[in-house]
Amino acid sequence: MKRVFLFKDVSDDGRDCCAYIANEPMRFECGHYFGSVNLEGSCYSGSDWKPYCDIKTVLTEAEYRALKKFSKEISKLGYGITVGDERYEKGVQLCKDIQYVYDRLNSEDNEKLFEEIQKEEVEWLMEEYSLDEEDIEAIFNEYALEYRDRSIVGCVFKDTAELGYEEAWELGYIKNGDTIAEKYFDTDRFGEDLLEESHYIQLEDGRVVSLNY
């Protein structure tokens, strides 16, 4: 499902400050219910709506309120809907009535805003993890989803050995202070093998970035 940028919470400098939604309102799911507006990012799904005064978005306050209202109304229709019945026709009308807001989110104006947001996020990532522009380009080129913000970077390891050690410890293969396990478990080889998975990328300087999906 293609997603579009909805807003950035400028009051929060945390990981999940950017929100995205599906790019169209008409989503009749599993043949019996309408999908509501689900705010999501690379690390979360179903976040709360933020106050308009705290966000940066292409939408006007009235459009933002209309989108929130649409989400509530479409959810109220519930499940077990049959194509052509009264609830289905009401859902179709709700989707038609809110289309203008989705057109705004799919507009060039929102693309330009999203480009500005990405620049802000790139600056944050570069400062937070000591990355350069080539590193950022490699990360964004590798990342497969529409998210383009700080949240896609989970962690930056100094090399494959550190990646292997941290992941092996997290999985319970080794324990801190266990000299036998640390002596015989090849963390470097384990880290190299992990690079074959889609959510890791190795940078030119040998560091390894884990990607959030």
Side-chain angles (χ1 to χ4, degrees), residues 1 3 41-42 140 142-148 152 212-213:
M1 180 185 298
R3 303 170 183 85
S42 67
F140 279 19
E142 179 70 17
Y143 196 73
L145 299 181
E146 297 91 346
Y147 310 122
R148 288 294 183 270
I152 71 173
N212 290 321
Y213 281 95

Side-chain angles (χ1 to χ4, degrees), residues 9-196:
D9 183 356
V10 295
S11 70
D12 181 8
D13 197 36
R15 180 193 64 187
D16 300 325
C17 59
C18 291
Y20 306 74
I21 63 171
N23 72 329
E24 58 183 4
M26 182 60 188
R27 290 176 291 110
F28 193 57
E29 309 283 5
C30 303
H32 72 96
Y33 72 95
F34 288 93
S36 61
V37 184
N38 187 43
L39 276 59
E40 57 185 277
S42 67
C43 300
Y44 71 91
S45 179
S47 177
D48 295 331
W49 295 79
K50 307 300 182 183
Y52 186 79
C53 60
D54 289 339
I55 65 172
K56 184 182 291 187
T57 180
V58 73
L59 301 181
T60 65
E61 187 171 3
E63 290 169 339
Y64 187 66
R65 288 199 308 266
L67 187 62
K68 290 174 63 178
K69 182 179 179 181
F70 164 75
S71 184
K72 292 180 180 178
E73 293 299 318
I74 205 77
S75 295
K76 286 180 182 179
L77 296 178
Y79 301 92
I81 299 172
T82 301
V83 174
D85 69 13
E86 183 178 353
R87 286 188 295 163
Y88 179 82
E89 294 302 328
K90 183 176 181 180
V92 169
Q93 189 60 52
L94 286 169
C95 293
K96 288 181 179 179
D97 291 344
I98 200 63
Q99 184 62 52
Y100 74 100
V101 173
Y102 281 82
D103 290 342
R104 182 74 168 148
L105 292 173
N106 283 283
S107 68
E108 290 186 7
D109 287 341
N110 199 33
E111 290 181 7
K112 291 178 180 179
L113 174 61
F114 190 34
E115 289 175 0
E116 294 176 8
I117 298 298
Q118 289 179 63
K119 291 178 181 178
E120 295 174 0
E121 295 300 285
V122 165
E123 292 177 0
W124 189 94
L125 286 168
M126 292 174 66
E127 181 177 351
E128 180 73 12
Y129 297 109
S130 298
L131 301 171
D132 58 28
E133 292 182 357
E134 292 182 356
D135 296 330
I136 297 295
E137 183 178 2
I139 291 169
F140 279 19
N141 286 341
E142 179 70 17
Y143 196 73
L145 299 181
E146 297 91 346
Y147 310 122
R148 288 294 183 270
D149 58 75
R150 69 190 68 179
S151 71
I152 71 173
V153 175
C155 187
V156 178
F157 303 94
K158 67 179 181 181
D159 51 30
T160 54
E162 183 177 66
L163 166 65
Y165 180 87
E166 294 295 335
E167 292 299 315
W169 182 85
E170 183 71 22
L171 292 168
Y173 297 151
I174 59 177
K175 297 179 181 179
N176 287 338
D178 187 342
T179 56
I180 300 299
E182 292 181 7
K183 180 177 180 180
Y184 291 101
F185 191 92
D186 191 339
T187 56
D188 193 13
R189 174 66 181 277
F190 184 53
E192 290 177 357
D193 288 346
L194 286 173
L195 285 177
E196 299 299 319

